[in-house]
Amino acid sequence: MKKYIKELVIYILQLFMFYIFPLFAGPTDAMGMVLLIIISTFVLSVIMGSISKEKIKYLYPFIVAVIFIPTVMLYYNSSALIHSIWYLVVSAIGLFIGTVIYKLTHKK
């Protein structure tokens, strides 16, 4: 469990962005909130790819997409369910970029 502490911190930050952040957004701030959550998902996935050496990091895009689905029922309507696919794609791209950064900085 101790070896996954970095990954757990990133997952907790992602949960915060999905579940806590929408509580502070007003009804007119919906598009700005979605954009901010997508950008933060991208940044967190780049961080995950660049600092993690564990194989669990490759599950990150799928976990992000799955943990977004309950927020659709809490904060949005069913038309926002398509955003889980966007989070999957954005986090996969960010994870790929972070992994490339990790490989380039840790050459032997």
Side-chain angles (χ1 to χ4, degrees):
M1 186 70 170
K2 230 178 188 183
K3 68 180 185 176
Y4 297 120
I5 194 75
K6 294 183 280 190
E7 291 85 358
L8 287 175
V9 169
I10 292 174
Y11 287 130
I12 290 170
L13 288 172
Q14 188 69 52
L15 282 170
F16 176 79
M17 289 305 296
F18 281 156
Y19 288 95
I20 305 299
F21 183 71
L23 291 174
F24 300 108
T28 59
D29 300 335
M31 284 308 293
M33 180 184 59
V34 168
L35 183 65
L36 182 64
I37 292 175
I38 287 176
I39 291 170
S40 67
T41 299
F42 179 75
V43 169
L44 287 173
S45 61
V46 169
I47 292 170
M48 173 73 87
S50 62
I51 67 170
S52 179
K53 296 180 276 190
E54 306 298 330
K55 298 290 183 193
I56 194 171
K57 74 179 178 181
Y58 296 113
L59 293 175
Y60 183 72
F62 300 105
I63 292 172
V64 166
V66 168
I67 64 172
F68 176 74
I69 292 172
T71 65
V72 172
M73 305 308 165
L74 291 173
Y75 301 114
Y76 315 109
N77 56 21
S78 62
S79 66
L81 200 55
I82 192 74
H83 290 298
S84 65
I85 295 172
W86 285 112
Y87 290 123
L88 175 76
V89 170
V90 166
S91 60
I93 292 169
L95 187 68
F96 175 74
I97 291 171
T99 304
V100 168
I101 291 170
Y102 181 80
K103 299 282 186 191
L104 290 175
T105 58
H106 291 88
K107 282 186 175 178
K108 290 186 180 181

